[in-house]
């Protein structure tokens, strides 16, 4: 890959901006007192861990998409860029479903769709940039864990177990 230019770094800022726009859903739909009253599995990480984990993941997501864009552009990389956009929508939707609508069932199925879109991103990125594809593996692992946590909370809180 050639050295990045100023316009390349501007594009990286755009990819980062898109990722952090998706993250705003988590700032708007916050856990709050409702979440604190829920039964949670013992293996749930402490609340303070989620912010730093997502910061790292969003940096990886933005950088990986940027790397693919630098190699393939929007035309050759159209599928990869489309899948990037789709996963951002699923990512942003989770907080609205879980914390906003208080629908653990919908949030779980949204995570399943997010997981599939991350897998599709890995497959779409690999032909263009293997490093970018590998950068999505921690994201896939985290969403796998988040799905298990979401499912466990759904089961532990039958009042919110509508499906």
């Amino acid at each position: 890959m050639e050295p990045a230019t100023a316009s390349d770094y501007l594009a990286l800022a755009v990819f980062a901006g898109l990722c952090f726009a998706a993250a705003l859903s988590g700032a708007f739909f916050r856990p709050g007192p409702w979440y604190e009253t829920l039964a949670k599995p013992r293996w749930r990480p402490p609340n303070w861990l989620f912010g730093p984990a997502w910061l790292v993941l969003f940096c990886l997501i933005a950088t990986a998409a940027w790397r693919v864009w630098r190699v393939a552009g929007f035309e050759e990389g159209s599928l990869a860029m489309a899948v990037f956009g789709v996963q951002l929508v699923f990512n942003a939707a989770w907080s609205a479903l879980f914390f906003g609508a208080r629908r653990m069932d919908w949030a779980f199925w949204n995570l399943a769709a997010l997981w599939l879109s991350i897998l599709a991103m890995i497959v779409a990125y690999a032909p263009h940039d293997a490093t970018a594809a590998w950068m999505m593996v921690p994201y896939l692992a985290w969403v796998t864990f988040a799905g298990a946590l979401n499912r466990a909370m759904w089961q532990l809180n039958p009042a919110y177990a509508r499906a």
Side-chain angles (χ1 to χ4, degrees):
M1 192 179 302
E2 295 180 23
T5 65
S7 62
D8 288 335
Y9 287 117
L10 179 60
L12 177 58
V14 170
F15 281 107
L18 290 169
C19 287
F20 289 101
L24 285 176
S25 174
F28 187 73
F29 297 102
R30 305 207 34 94
W34 167 79
Y35 178 76
E36 295 308 319
T37 66
L38 297 174
K40 299 168 193 75
R42 288 182 305 215
W43 46 269
R44 179 185 61 93
N47 289 343
W48 63 264
L49 181 65
F50 289 91
W54 277 109
L55 175 63
V56 169
L57 292 171
F58 279 123
C59 289
L60 286 171
I61 296 164
T63 304
W66 175 71
R67 288 178 61 93
V68 170
W69 170 82
R70 284 193 67 214
V71 170
F74 287 118
E75 192 170 316
E76 187 183 332
S78 61
L79 177 62
M81 294 297 105
V83 176
F84 165 76
V86 166
Q87 68 78 30
L88 282 180
V89 171
F90 286 129
N91 188 306
W94 186 85
S95 293
L97 295 171
F98 193 95
F99 297 121
R102 298 181 181 177
R103 291 297 305 255
M104 293 181 197
D105 52 349
W106 293 353
F108 175 79
W109 295 115
N110 178 79
L111 278 176
L114 176 59
W115 192 94
L116 289 172
S117 69
I118 297 165
L119 185 61
M121 230 177 7
I122 292 169
V123 170
Y125 284 10
H128 302 294
D129 186 319
T131 300
W134 280 106
M135 291 171 77
M136 294 298 89
V137 172
Y139 184 26
L140 187 66
W142 182 260
V143 169
T144 301
F145 174 75
L149 180 59
N150 189 147
R151 179 73 175 155
M153 290 188 63
W154 180 14
Q155 291 175 323
L156 289 170
N157 297 278
Y160 298 99
R162 302 176 280 202

